Amino acid sequence: MGSQSEGKAVFDTESAKEVLKELRASFVAGKTKSYEWRVSQLTAILKMLQENEQPIVSALRDDLSKPELESSIFEIGMLRNSCRLALKEMKHWMKPEKAKTSLTTFPSSAEIVSEPLGVVLVISAWNYPFLLSLDPVVGAIAAGNAIVLKPSEIAPASSSLLAKLVADYMDGSCIKVVEGAVPETSALLEQKWDKIFYTGNGRIARIVMTAAAKHLTPVVLELGGKSPVIVDSDIDLKVATRRIIAGKWACNNGQACISPDYIITTKDNAVKLVDSFKCELEQFYGKNPLDSKDLSCIVNSNHFDRLLKLLDEDKVSSKIAHGGERDETNLKIAPTILLDVPKNSLIMKEEIFGPLLPIIVVDKVEESFDVIKSCGGKPLAAYLFTKNKKLTGKFVAEVSAGGLVVNDTTVHLAEHNLPFGGVGDSGMGSYHGKFSFDAFSHKKAVLYRGLGGDASLRYPPYTPGKLRLLQALLSGSILRIIRALLGW
């Protein structure tokens, strides 16, 4: 939803400055720092979700044809869990952490104090427009920051509802939503923020990081990549295929940053794997999946055309082992399995972000690691199905990704005790649970010393004896200190 629409004022650089000025004043006044304010805002989000579940489900249906179960569990339910965890743990998170001190500063004590960064900008994505907008906001509130949220214009119904609900339920002097597209985002990025949290693709991430660099603003980038699934031959194929389906098509029809992007398996196992997929997909979505109400649509015609370009490439279209049906009117593409696609095809060079799932065939499952490395970059997630402990150990040791899961897909997203984030091309920084609080906090080092017992060691005139004793103190060796004191 652009700001140029009828009845809406233009949001430009001056508008962005005014928004930032108002939020900065609230932050400087200390409004966001109190425990009580943080509790009130997290409670407001819970109330907002409770009282508006159906409007949220409807907005997600309008934008993505998202099934109610996916909307209720993966967006609303996970947000509720984030809020409840923060409310339960926040007082503990806010407490200073005791730190050890050394002989160098003896006698002394120390602690690490978590303080809010200030005014932060959250730019979210369209595929999970409520979860990916408000989950970082939960962390920013818990840490005591003022916030501007910029939802994605590609999900206009969700963006509009988010703006309305945040204005109705939350403290408008400290938390604001700015709707719009490129001009509005550009106006926001021209300002000096205390942190920018961006979820999306690598191309826009580079623009965000370039803008942030002008002001030395730290960033968290939650991106994506080609998340592989290695399928060994010694497993229960039915369980494996069901869990891959749950992570692929039951996650917004593949439009999720941690959805399986491609599978690697052995030649002997490939046909059996395809057969298992055919059986389970028909059971889940029927003989005509385009009619299923349990599959999301593709978000818009641009993404629909992009996916068809990947699917209809000459060296790929002949590799369809299952699916391939498309409905341009309703922007739907059926779950599609492609067997033994060429590694130099377009579908293996780009993140798919849709319902297409290529299978790469290798002679030995150990060759999978070379395939992953040859695809370039470090994915946001990587998955392995096996009973082989040695293969599991090699997977953990050799595959660099934001997160790894063995014998399932995507479920690590729901574990708040694990950091969620990318590495390399799949992003930087992490959040979820306390990691969200930490992402929006500065860890301030504090050292306490008394005024008594002042030693002359650190002061001129410098002598060989002072040098020996200071070197001994810095080494932390009691024996060296004793020897220095004795003049040895």
Side-chain angles (χ1 to χ4, degrees), residues 162-221:
L162 264 169
K164 179 182 183 301
L165 293 180
V166 169
D168 289 346
Y169 283 83
M170 307 193 74
D171 183 349
S173 68
C174 302
I175 303 169
K176 293 186 181 295
V177 174
V178 173
E179 288 192 89
V182 174
E184 292 78 8
T185 306
S186 299
L188 290 169
L189 287 174
E190 288 180 26
Q191 312 310 311
K192 178 176 173 56
W193 305 93
D194 295 297
K195 192 154 200 175
I196 299 174
F197 190 108
Y198 169 76
T199 304
N201 62 59
R203 182 178 63 83
I204 303 300
R206 287 171 173 81
I207 296 171
V208 170
M209 202 166 181
T210 299
K214 294 177 183 177
H215 302 290
L216 295 179
T217 299
V219 297
V220 172
L221 303 177

Side-chain angles (χ1 to χ4, degrees), residues 37 40 46 83 87 98 103 111 208 235 239 241 277 289 297 299 333 373 383 405 424 430 433 447 452:
W37 181 88
S40 72
L46 282 175
C83 287
L87 286 167
K98 291 295 182 183
L103 284 170
E111 63 184 9
V208 170
I235 60 166
V239 172
T241 50
F277 270 121
C297 69
V299 66
I333 299 175
K373 291 170 186 174
Y383 309 111
V405 181
S430 61
L447 184 75

Side-chain angles (χ1 to χ4, degrees), residues 301-369:
S301 58
N302 288 336
H303 280 275
F304 186 85
D305 293 341
R306 176 186 63 80
L307 288 165
L308 291 190
K309 183 181 177 183
L310 300 180
L311 184 59
D312 293 340
E313 187 181 9
D314 288 342
K315 49 188 162 185
V316 170
S317 59
S318 61
K319 303 292 185 178
I320 296 175
H322 179 75
E325 302 88 357
R326 71 281 307 265
D327 177 356
E328 188 173 359
T329 302
N330 294 306
L331 296 179
K332 280 203 166 187
I333 299 175
T336 301
I337 308 288
L338 302 113
L339 181 57
D340 200 18
V341 299
K343 292 174 189 165
N344 63 350
S345 58
L346 194 58
I347 201 170
M348 288 307 299
K349 292 179 180 176
E350 296 183 6
E351 181 182 5
I352 295 170
F353 218 74
L356 317 178
L357 187 60
I359 297 177
I360 301 294
V361 174
V362 293
D363 292 322
K364 296 180 180 179
V365 71
E366 289 79 9
E367 296 171 20
S368 301
F369 304 112

Side-chain angles (χ1 to χ4, degrees), residues 251-267:
C251 281
N252 203 26
N253 207 4
Q255 298 169 110
C257 56
I258 53 172
S259 280
D261 191 273
Y262 64 100
I263 290 174
I264 311 168
T265 194
T266 59
K267 289 178 181 178

